[in-house]
Amino acid sequence: MSTVQLVPELHAFLDRPGQLFIGGSWQDARSGERFEVENPAEQRVISDVAQAGSADVDDAVAAARAAFEGPWRQYSPARRGGLLLRLADLMEAEAEGLAQLITLENGKPLGMARGEVASAVSIMRYFAGWPTKIEGSTLPVSPASGHPMLNYTLREPVGVCALIVPWNFPLNMCVWKLGPVLATGCTAVLKPAEQTPLIAIRLVQLIEAAGVPPGVVNLITGQGQRVGAPLAEHPDVDKIAFTGSTQVGKLIAQAATGNMKKVSLELGGKSPNIILADADVKRAAKGAADGIFYNQGQVCTAASRLYVHQSLLDDVLDELRRHATAHVVGPGLDPASTLGPLVSQRQLDTVSGYLQRGLADGAELICGGQRPAHLERGHFIEPSVFLDRQERSCVAREEIFGPVLTVMSWSEPEELVARANDSPYGLAAGLWTNDLRAAHQLAAQLKAGSVWINCWNVVDPASPFGGYKQSGWGREMSKHVIDAYTETKSVFVDLA
């Protein structure tokens, strides 16, 4: 097994204990507590990081409030945009180190981590264009007084934002939220997942180097209950943006009612992927395999439910088996690896439990389902495919967040949409067909925030992203996310 050589700067970074960043100052947690960060491919501790508590949350929110009410308000839109462009340039210059750091603490293959960094740079540059384009309007009002009246609207930053991000795309999720925060003139308290705090620390170091004023971006690290809960409940936070599980999203929504803070939630999914009778089998099967095995299946939009027309079922299963067994499971820093480890022992236990329960529920295991025999350490699992003829098993109904695909067949078009929509989630859906009319008709009927036709997981910063039903509230990216970080003020001027 060969391994990519780490960039020298990364060794120095890992040797330094991770700290909190509050009010422009790197510091330990008030309690002095720390926690360890593991490389999931080797089950080896690679660093340790400050464990924040409620007192640190208070300090970070106070710093964000002081910056929001103070010097940050004086920055012109063009100046904010310039800072974002400078940050994007710094990220691009550090791309290889950032990618290697993602692979070390998250486990994903280095090629995928490099793609994540490139995406994050692109997103930051997209949001750099927004500060000068956030505008109000004048409205033709008709006041009862009959006086001539000027009415105009202003778009103002919402204030202090709590940003809680997950571990599956640890850099991209930070940028998805920090981009609109900085573009609109808000301030932030960023809380990364405890499994992947290192990439957030490195990003905030680059934010500091880019010249973002003290207190505008604050970083607190630690376990969710000890940090995320007090952050969600904090009375001086104006908005909370969370990406993660639906279960935790519901708790955050409840916590936000204390001061009626604004909430945006990007939550779980159990996304249906449909292969119609006229589809190109090889293309559709490859798309289905990529849709579930990408990032070890640890994707909220994972294409985990596959509905195949009965006439194509055997051929599609053969193709899926071929794609699954072709994957090279191994450490992300091994250039030969195409599938890395799951992020933690807890996640491995969860996925392994679903594999056992799926068999107990009567689903047929087509391939996978085991730990790779050649790997003695690490949280690895083979890419797995089930066939569920009754569509009743847990693997067909529940979000697994691992490389586990459940295949169902269909024959009656009248039932297909109802089956695809029969889920508490509605994040994404897809379909494979050469029939343009059928594609558009089905896309209109699927209850999902994103529908992909003859593709999967296509995301662009100019396009909104979010879910229906229990997959979340609001939208990330595009002009829609600017609304989530701004307030609209209406101003009347009596001209009589």
Side-chain angles (χ1 to χ4, degrees):
M1 180 183 71
S2 61
T3 301
V4 171
Q5 193 73 24
L6 297 182
V7 298
E9 297 81 4
L10 196 50
H11 290 288
F13 174 84
L14 293 172
D15 287 341
R16 291 191 297 270
Q19 294 182 299
L20 313 178
F21 188 67
I22 298 175
S25 172
W26 291 98
Q27 58 196 63
D28 293 329
R30 285 197 180 208
S31 66
E33 292 183 70
R34 309 189 65 78
F35 66 97
E36 295 177 335
V37 181
E38 180 191 74
N39 175 347
E42 300 177 357
Q43 294 179 269
R44 176 177 61 87
V45 174
I46 56 175
S47 189
D48 67 292
V49 175
Q51 169 61 60
S54 58
D56 302 298
V57 171
D58 289 341
D59 291 344
V61 172
R65 175 62 60 192
F68 179 71
E69 304 294 351
W72 187 231
R73 278 188 176 272
Q74 308 308 314
Y75 274 58
S76 69
R79 192 176 181 189
R80 292 201 308 273
L83 286 175
L84 287 168
L85 287 174
R86 194 174 309 141
L87 175 57
D89 289 344
L90 290 173
M91 292 167 61
E92 189 170 56
E94 299 284 337
E96 182 62 15
L98 292 172
Q100 291 182 4
L101 186 55
I102 290 171
T103 294
L104 278 174
E105 64 175 348
N106 168 278
K108 69 180 62 181
L110 184 57
M112 294 183 186
R114 287 169 176 156
E116 180 173 344
V117 175
S119 173
V121 171
S122 174
I123 292 166
M124 193 62 74
R125 288 192 172 128
Y126 171 82
F127 282 112
W130 264 108
T132 56
K133 299 169 186 68
I134 300 171
E135 57 188 24
S137 58
T138 57
L139 304 173
V141 295
S142 305
S145 66
H147 291 188
M149 196 79 66
L150 170 65
N151 176 229
Y152 62 92
T153 61
L154 300 172
R155 298 283 295 282
E156 299 180 339
V158 71
V160 175
C161 302
L163 313 177
I164 302 178
V165 300
W167 46 259
N168 57 336
F169 293 95
L171 179 61
N172 253 357
M173 294 297 99
C174 288
V175 170
W176 276 30
K177 291 173 171 52
L178 285 171
V181 162
L182 297 173
T184 56
C186 295
T187 58
V189 178
L190 174 65
K191 191 272 178 196
E194 56 263 36
Q195 296 88 346
T196 55
L198 300 178
I199 191 65
I201 292 173
R202 184 66 189 122
L203 175 62
V204 172
Q205 289 177 348
L206 296 180
I207 288 172
E208 183 183 21
V212 175
V216 172
V217 176
N218 305 273
L219 174 69
I220 52 174
T221 54
Q223 276 77 26
Q225 284 287 52
R226 300 180 62 181
V227 181
L231 189 56
E233 297 167 355
H234 204 286
D236 206 26
V237 169
D238 300 303
K239 173 185 169 57
I240 186 163
F242 170 77
T243 296
S245 72
T246 295
Q247 179 183 8
V248 175
K250 291 178 179 180
L251 295 175
I252 285 175
Q254 292 168 7
T257 60
N259 67 337
M260 296 300 292
K261 58 174 62 70
K262 293 183 178 299
V263 179
S264 56
L265 303 170
E266 196 266 285
L267 306 176
K270 189 67 177 176
S271 300
N273 198 8
I274 300 167
I275 298 179
L276 301 189
D278 70 313
D280 180 321
V281 168
K282 290 186 180 297
R283 182 183 179 189
K286 183 181 187 309
D290 291 346
I292 183 60
F293 301 141
Y294 172 65
N295 207 48
Q296 295 72 248
Q298 299 171 134
V299 186
C300 54
T301 55
S304 54
R305 287 190 290 151
L306 182 63
Y307 293 91
V308 182
H309 190 270
Q310 182 64 44
S311 65
L312 305 179
L313 181 61
D314 290 342
D315 289 341
V316 169
L317 288 176
D318 287 343
E319 286 294 307
L320 290 172
R321 185 185 295 108
R322 183 173 68 83
H323 285 293
T325 56
H327 270 291
V328 178
V329 182
L333 290 177
D334 182 349
S337 298
T338 61
L339 206 72
L342 299 176
V343 75
S344 66
Q345 183 64 48
R346 178 180 178 181
Q347 193 63 23
L348 178 60
D349 291 344
T350 297
V351 173
S352 299
Y354 270 109
L355 292 170
Q356 296 170 13
R357 289 172 55 201
L359 291 171
D361 287 347
E364 304 169 38
L365 186 64
I366 302 301
C367 62
Q370 302 294 323
R371 178 186 177 86
H374 67 286
L375 295 168
E376 297 181 358
R377 296 178 63 82
H379 309 307
F380 294 98
I381 196 76
E382 293 174 340
S384 307
V385 179
F386 280 101
L387 174 63
D388 186 348
R389 299 183 187 276
Q390 303 298 321
E391 200 174 343
R392 294 176 182 170
S393 68
C394 63
V395 293
R397 308 295 302 174
E398 300 175 25
E399 184 178 35
I400 300 172
F401 226 64
V404 181
L405 174 64
T406 305
V407 181
M408 284 78 65
S409 65
W410 66 275
S411 57
E412 298 299 327
E414 296 77 13
E415 299 178 0
L416 176 61
V417 172
R419 291 170 64 188
N421 287 337
D422 183 19
S423 170
Y425 302 109
L427 189 57
L431 53 106
W432 300 82
T433 180
N434 289 311
D435 185 337
L436 187 61
R437 177 178 296 178
H440 288 296
Q441 288 176 340
L442 280 172
Q445 297 176 73
L446 292 170
K447 296 178 181 178
S450 295
V451 177
W452 292 300
I453 300 173
N454 294 329
C455 58
W456 192 272
N457 228 21
V458 180
V459 180
D460 188 276
S463 181
F465 180 88
Y468 286 25
K469 298 185 280 187
Q470 293 187 40
S471 286
W473 292 348
R475 293 295 180 266
E476 301 270 12
M477 299 198 289
S478 81
K479 65 180 181 181
H480 295 270
V481 78
I482 300 300
D483 294 337
Y485 290 90
T486 55
E487 297 274 23
T488 300
K489 177 183 289 181
S490 181
V491 179
F492 285 87
V493 182
D494 191 332
L495 301 178

